[in-house]
Amino acid sequence: FPVTIPVVTEYVKSIHKGKGIVGKGIEGIKHIHEAADAATRAVVYERAVKQALSQGFSKEDADSIGVMKAREIINFASKDVAA
């Protein structure tokens, strides 16, 4: 049977709003991605702080270095990344 534009439009809207099984799947994948990204950043932060402290930096400076290193991780999959 032919697929009409209104059917396709409604399907795309339902995915975008997170309705239906496909939309829920996409939202689930996004959630997993965000959790993995956060875990990676946490590990990078902790390692950078530990390294900075071992090099004689103060706790405050080590924290700043850790934050900077964690932010340096680029996530090309994120749609809000500037080109």
Side-chain angles (χ1 to χ4, degrees):
F1 65 83
V3 177
T4 63
I5 297 299
V7 172
V8 174
T9 303
E10 289 303 314
Y11 177 73
V12 171
K13 284 181 183 177
S14 72
I15 290 172
H16 181 69
K17 291 181 180 178
K19 295 180 182 175
I21 193 162
V22 174
K24 288 179 182 178
I26 291 170
E27 290 300 314
I29 291 169
K30 285 181 182 178
H31 179 72
I32 292 168
H33 168 73
E34 290 169 3
D37 186 54
T40 301
R41 290 177 190 273
V43 170
V44 168
Y45 168 81
E46 290 171 4
R47 287 182 181 172
V49 169
K50 184 177 179 180
Q51 182 180 14
L53 289 172
S54 72
Q55 293 175 348
F57 287 93
S58 69
K59 286 185 177 184
E60 184 178 325
D61 287 342
D63 180 64
S64 294
I65 291 168
V67 169
M68 179 185 69
K69 294 288 185 183
R71 285 186 172 181
E72 284 179 352
I73 296 174
I74 299 173
N75 177 2
F76 291 104
S78 179
K79 51 183 164 173
D80 60 347
V81 172

